[in-house]
Amino acid sequence: MATRGTGRGPAEQLKGHLDLLLLSVLTAGPAHGYEIIGALRDRSDGVFDLPEGTVYPALHRLEAAGLLSSAWSEDGGRRRRVYRLTSSGAGALRAERRAWRSFSTGIGAVIAGIA
Amino acid sequence: MNDAPAPDLIDAYLDELQGRLRGTPGDIRRSVVECESHLRDRTAGFLADGIEAETAARQAIAAFGPPETVAAELNRAHRPRAVRMLIAGLAGQAAHLVAVGLLAIGASGIVAWLLTELLGSRTVFADAPGTSYGAAACAHYLAVHPNARTCAQAALAEGRDDSLFQRAAAGVLGVLLIAGLWWWRRRASRRPLGEPPALSLAAALVGVAMFGAVGVVLTGYGVDRAVVNTGSGQWLSAGAVAIIVALGYASVGWRRLLSI
């Protein structure tokens, strides 16, 4: 029998977990969008190389939900919106991490048996 | 030879993106500034790697994603705030119409009072000839207006005073409501909330239709009352003010239409 993939690349798989990843990146401290995307790419060794423009809507959504706050900063003549984790965001991140660990442990146990 | 500068690819991308964005003016401006900052940073990164300028801009744009995809996701993220803005705008316009209506009633009271001073109470407030009043009503009117010689005179004075008082009260309520709206809008303008021009235009059209219809009906009724020798000034004063307000809304609507 031929082996077929799911057809979903890393970027597509990443979408469902983007909030968790963005909140995680911001635990290191406040950062603007470009830095956040760079950190995401670097920390994943280039695996999470999603369309960069789709990160900003996610940041705006997280801010509207109260999980992030943001403010303008001027740097090298360019205005940048700097995001930081709120206390609600830190709480949501802890809950998301617990859920992810439980999920990945379950998945790992299943696929380990198949491999 | 064409000396025109080459179009900036990032500017062209941002123009297309901005054209597709929906939401509050603040959300749109912020999104465009953030995207531009990102694209310029990314291009600078490619340039530092030794990539030629136009290729660097193309690669930065390719990495950012198609403008329709980015705009669709930004619009989805901003939709709740845009909906809140629309609801607040509708409520504000409705309250403004009510306030203008109350002020118009107050203004019609001033006009009715002036007509009373100039032409007398009968021309403005008199009931139809032959109107009869019950004994209890007469007793009440005469008790409130002891200087009246007949029940009809007392009823006329009572009708005039009640009408002028009610119109003045409506005018005061209108002033309070307008002041409240002014305070609310000043407060809202500190937040990134705007108001779609189409909403102001729609409110102006509603104002024209509403006050125009009321003005025509009241004026027509006033003329009809004048024909049967009944106090018509109370209706004509209200009808004239309503028509003036409708014309005011028409002027506002025209200006809004030109500004869209």
Side-chain angles (χ1 to χ4, degrees):
Chain A
M1 194 176 88
T3 307
R4 293 200 316 185
T6 60
R8 297 175 73 214
E12 197 59 31
Q13 293 172 26
L14 170 62
K15 269 191 171 177
H17 307 291
L18 188 55
D19 292 0
L20 168 63
L21 294 169
L22 293 174
L23 294 173
S24 298
V25 166
L26 284 166
T27 53
H32 53 75
Y34 188 70
E35 290 173 331
I36 293 168
I37 293 163
L40 205 56
R41 194 185 310 117
D42 292 347
R43 283 204 211 173
S44 69
D45 281 334
V47 172
F48 294 154
D49 199 9
L50 74 170
E52 294 165 5
T54 59
V55 169
Y56 290 93
L59 289 170
H60 292 193
R61 196 167 28 75
L62 288 171
E63 186 180 359
L67 305 183
L68 300 179
S69 64
S70 72
W72 289 111
S73 80
E74 190 98 17
D75 179 17
R78 199 166 290 159
R79 291 182 82 204
R80 292 184 172 85
R81 195 83 185 172
V82 174
Y83 295 87
R84 67 179 67 235
L85 206 57
T86 62
S87 53
S88 301
L93 177 59
R94 282 193 293 276
E96 285 280 328
R97 275 178 173 159
R98 275 196 301 274
W100 171 255
R101 284 195 190 109
S102 163
F103 175 75
S104 62
T105 302
I107 290 282
V110 172
I111 63 176
I114 294 167
Chain B
M1 195 178 103
N2 184 5
D3 289 337
D8 185 316
L9 292 171
I10 291 174
D11 279 348
Y13 178 92
L14 292 169
D15 287 347
E16 188 173 348
L17 179 73
Q18 185 166 350
R20 293 173 180 273
L21 289 177
R22 303 286 175 266
T24 66
D27 282 337
I28 292 174
R29 182 175 48 79
R30 169 181 167 180
S31 299
V32 172
V33 171
E34 277 191 293
C35 293
E36 174 162 24
S37 179
H38 180 103
L39 287 166
R40 305 271 178 216
D41 280 342
R42 194 78 158 112
T43 303
F46 286 129
L47 287 171
D49 291 343
I51 296 173
E52 180 265 332
E54 188 176 325
T55 309
R58 283 191 195 286
Q59 289 189 2
I61 288 168
F64 203 69
E68 57 271 23
T69 306
V70 177
E73 297 217 13
L74 281 167
N75 290 340
R76 201 170 303 127
H78 298 155
R79 194 166 295 141
R81 201 202 308 260
V83 169
R84 278 203 306 276
M85 184 188 95
L86 185 64
I87 290 170
L90 282 172
Q93 292 292 354
H96 191 265
L97 273 171
V98 170
V100 169
L102 290 169
L103 285 174
I105 293 170
S108 79
I110 294 172
V111 175
W113 174 75
L114 285 172
L115 288 175
T116 305
E117 293 295 307
L118 287 170
L119 306 171
S121 295
R122 276 198 55 76
T123 313
V124 183
F125 293 106
D127 290 326
T131 301
S132 59
Y133 307 99
C138 265
H140 170 70
Y141 297 150
L142 287 166
V144 178
H145 300 280
N147 295 331
R149 285 194 299 271
T150 64
C151 179
Q153 280 183 0
L156 175 62
E158 178 76 350
R160 177 198 64 208
D161 290 356
D162 279 357
S163 177
L164 292 179
F165 173 77
Q166 286 161 4
R167 293 185 193 202
V172 170
L173 275 178
V175 168
L176 291 175
L177 191 50
I178 281 282
L181 279 170
W182 177 80
W183 173 81
W184 179 64
R185 284 191 169 151
R186 262 181 64 88
R187 205 171 145 263
S189 69
R190 293 197 200 112
R191 288 179 268 136
L193 281 179
E195 196 164 89
L199 187 59
S200 307
L201 176 62
L205 293 177
V206 169
V208 171
M210 197 172 84
F211 286 99
V214 168
V216 167
V217 168
L218 289 176
T219 304
Y221 190 68
V223 170
D224 179 67
R225 294 293 87 190
V227 168
V228 294
N229 198 27
T230 302
S232 58
Q234 56 182 324
W235 308 108
L236 293 173
S237 60
V241 169
I243 288 171
I244 290 169
V245 173
L247 291 173
Y249 269 113
S251 165
V252 169
W254 180 248
R255 288 204 302 275
R256 293 277 185 277
L257 191 63
L258 294 179
S259 69
I260 287 178

